[in-house]
């Protein structure tokens, strides 16, 4: 099953999510709509809302009321994700995302932060409309943990002594937690049993971790065109990602010193040498192996789910998370 077919199994529902997203961007303030449309329509695979739909439909056939709530929940997840992107780009001073100017580059920091706040609060308005208390509890905890992950990542920036365990905690908080919340909320709105909910929660956590590990690999293996952002962005921000942490442990003495100084200063003066260091010391293979392990755990986690095309799509999504190029 190819990535495009993953979307195909929920194509109708996915279209309804996109329509609902657009309807919920409505505001009396034109700038909010302008920035909201810009960031929402700016590419992206909508993996997290897709995960809500696949998780919900992998548990059971959805009655109309449950389907409507799954569509709303998918929109909530996308709005939370988009608000974090807007805020991240301001914090990271990013100027490109998905091959286009970031909102902060186009309109400035203040409008980007405030529109991020709008999307975040709109997500909670929709959540109240759904009225599912377990999902409210899940997403309240999820958004809090994401914020903690963002702060921890900020603390780690510029720290070349960051451990692999600390790095993994950041990506599990910052990235994997929303995948986990998406899968779990999909199961909850579908009325899944406890075993199915736990299976999908674990699946989301593992797939989200794999996704971020590969994202960090691509900073050293892909072109700017493939990634939709500048090569070396993580390094320029002093982020000690796993390829760099591994290089500082297993690279040559020169490589270790180059990486250490780059993390300390956020400098790109030796970017080409560092990319070669990362590639030649086994850091790419190691990080990819860790991502594959997470994808395998995700597939194992959903074995209790009934056989269906939606379960097949979840398995394909796990495989795709470690094979992507953008």
């Amino acid at each position: 099953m190819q990535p495009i077919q993953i979307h195909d199994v929920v194509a109708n529902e996915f279209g309804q999510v996109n329509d609902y997203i657009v309807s919920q961007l409505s505001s009396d303030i034109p700038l909010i709509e302008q920035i909201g449309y810009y960031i929402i329509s700016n590419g992206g695979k909508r993996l997290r809302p897709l995960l809500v739909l696949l998780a919900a439909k992998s548990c059971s056939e959805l009655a109309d009321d449950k389907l409507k709530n799954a569509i709303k929940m998918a929109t909530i997840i996308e709005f939370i994700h988009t608000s974090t992107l807007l805020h991240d780009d301001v914090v990271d001073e990013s100027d490109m995302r998905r091959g286009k100017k970031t909102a902060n580059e186009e309109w400035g920091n203040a409008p980007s932060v405030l529109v991020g706040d709008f999307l975040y609060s709109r997500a909670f308005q929709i959540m109240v409309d759904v009225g599912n208390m377990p999902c409210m509890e899940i997403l309240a905890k999820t958004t809090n943990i994401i914020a903690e992950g963002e702060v921890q990542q900020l603390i780690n920036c510029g720290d070349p002594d960051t451990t692999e365990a600390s790095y993994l905690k950041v990506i599990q908080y910052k990235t994997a937690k929303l995948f986990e919340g998406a899968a779990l909320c999909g199961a909850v709105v579908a009325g899944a049993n406890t075993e199915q909910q736990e299976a999908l929660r674990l699946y989301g956590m593992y797939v989200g971790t794999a996704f971020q590990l590969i994202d960090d690999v691509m900073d050293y293996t892909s072109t700017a065109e493939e990634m939709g952002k500048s090569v070396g962005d993580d390094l320029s921000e002093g982020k000690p990602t796993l390829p760099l942490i591994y290089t500082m442990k297993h690279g040559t003495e020169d490589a270790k010193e180059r990486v250490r100084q780059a993390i300390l200063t956020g400098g790109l003066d030796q970017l080409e040498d560092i990319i070669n260091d990362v590639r030649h010391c086994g850091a790419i293979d190691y990080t990819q192996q860790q991502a594959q392990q997470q994808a395998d755990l995700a597939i194992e986690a959903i074995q209790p789910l009934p056989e269906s095309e939606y379960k097949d799509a979840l398995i394909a999504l796990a495989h795709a998370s470690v094979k992507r190029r953008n």
Side-chain angles (χ1 to χ4, degrees):
M1 182 178 289
Q2 298 300 313
I4 187 64
Q5 293 176 296
I6 298 172
H7 287 79
D8 286 351
V9 300
V10 286
N12 181 56
E13 296 86 349
F14 201 71
Q16 292 180 61
V17 171
N18 285 329
D19 290 344
Y20 192 69
I21 285 172
V22 171
S23 74
Q24 293 303 305
L25 288 173
S26 175
S27 171
D28 293 335
I29 311 300
L31 184 60
I32 290 177
E33 290 190 344
Q34 188 179 5
I35 296 177
Y37 283 121
Y38 180 84
I39 187 71
I40 287 287
S41 63
N42 189 13
K45 305 174 189 66
R46 303 232 204 286
L47 289 182
R48 295 154 190 83
L50 174 65
L51 183 50
V52 174
L53 297 176
L54 291 176
K57 299 207 76 172
S58 69
C59 296
S60 64
E61 286 298 318
L62 301 181
D64 286 347
D65 60 334
K66 289 182 178 178
L67 177 58
K68 287 179 181 177
N69 283 340
I71 288 165
K72 290 178 180 179
M73 192 57 60
T75 301
I76 290 165
I77 293 293
E78 182 66 5
F79 277 11
I80 291 173
H81 173 57
T82 304
S83 71
T84 64
L85 295 185
L86 284 163
H87 292 161
D88 281 357
D89 286 341
V90 170
V91 171
D92 296 338
E93 300 179 1
S94 301
D95 59 6
M96 183 187 297
R97 181 180 288 278
R98 297 168 183 162
K100 294 177 67 175
K101 287 183 179 179
T102 56
N104 50 295
E105 180 72 10
E106 188 76 17
W107 285 278
N109 287 342
S112 296
V113 170
L114 295 173
V115 172
D117 292 345
F118 169 84
L119 292 174
Y120 187 76
S121 59
R122 179 54 54 87
F124 277 82
Q125 283 183 312
I126 303 170
M127 209 181 301
V128 171
D129 184 47
V130 173
N132 187 304
M133 183 56 71
C135 282
M136 289 184 190
E137 292 176 357
I138 291 163
L139 291 179
K141 182 178 180 180
T142 295
T143 52
N144 191 257
I145 287 176
I146 290 170
E148 289 181 332
E150 295 285 2
V151 174
Q152 185 59 56
Q153 179 174 262
L154 194 62
I155 292 169
N156 289 355
C157 281
D159 180 6
D161 297 317
T162 299
T163 64
E164 182 173 335
S166 179
Y167 159 84
L168 288 172
K169 182 178 179 180
V170 166
I171 67 172
Q172 285 166 356
Y173 276 35
K174 182 176 176 287
T175 302
K177 198 64 185 178
L178 192 56
F179 278 83
E180 180 183 331
L184 181 53
C185 283
V188 170
V189 296
N193 61 41
T194 302
E195 182 184 32
Q196 291 171 331
Q197 288 183 28
E198 179 62 8
L200 284 160
R201 184 192 71 79
L202 289 171
Y203 172 90
M205 179 183 71
Y206 292 134
V207 164
T209 303
F211 184 89
Q212 186 60 53
L213 285 166
I214 295 300
D215 204 57
D216 293 341
V217 163
M218 290 193 303
D219 211 39
Y220 302 96
T221 60
S222 300
T223 64
E225 290 74 21
E226 287 173 326
M227 291 188 295
K229 64 177 185 177
S230 301
V231 175
D233 265 4
D234 288 345
L235 191 62
S236 69
E237 295 158 15
K239 291 180 180 176
T241 58
L242 188 55
L244 296 177
I245 293 169
Y246 186 93
T247 302
M248 281 190 289
K249 188 173 182 180
H250 298 281
T252 65
E253 291 305 313
D254 286 345
K256 292 176 183 178
E257 185 58 24
R258 271 192 291 270
V259 172
R260 170 172 284 273
Q261 289 304 313
I263 291 173
L264 282 169
T265 63
L268 294 178
D269 295 344
Q270 301 186 77
L271 176 60
E272 188 173 338
D273 288 335
I274 290 172
I275 289 174
N276 287 330
D277 292 335
V278 168
R279 290 176 176 176
H280 292 148
C281 77
I284 299 302
D285 287 343
Y286 177 76
T287 307
Q288 288 175 328
Q289 288 166 8
Q290 297 305 301
Q292 185 62 59
Q293 183 179 65
Q294 294 294 309
D296 292 343
L297 288 169
I299 292 168
E300 182 181 344
I302 57 171
Q303 290 312 302
L305 297 181
E307 297 302 318
S308 70
E309 61 180 339
Y310 308 110
K311 180 179 178 179
D312 291 341
L314 287 169
I315 292 170
L317 181 58
H319 288 305
S321 70
V322 294
K323 294 178 180 177
R324 63 196 181 88
R325 296 290 296 172
N326 56 37

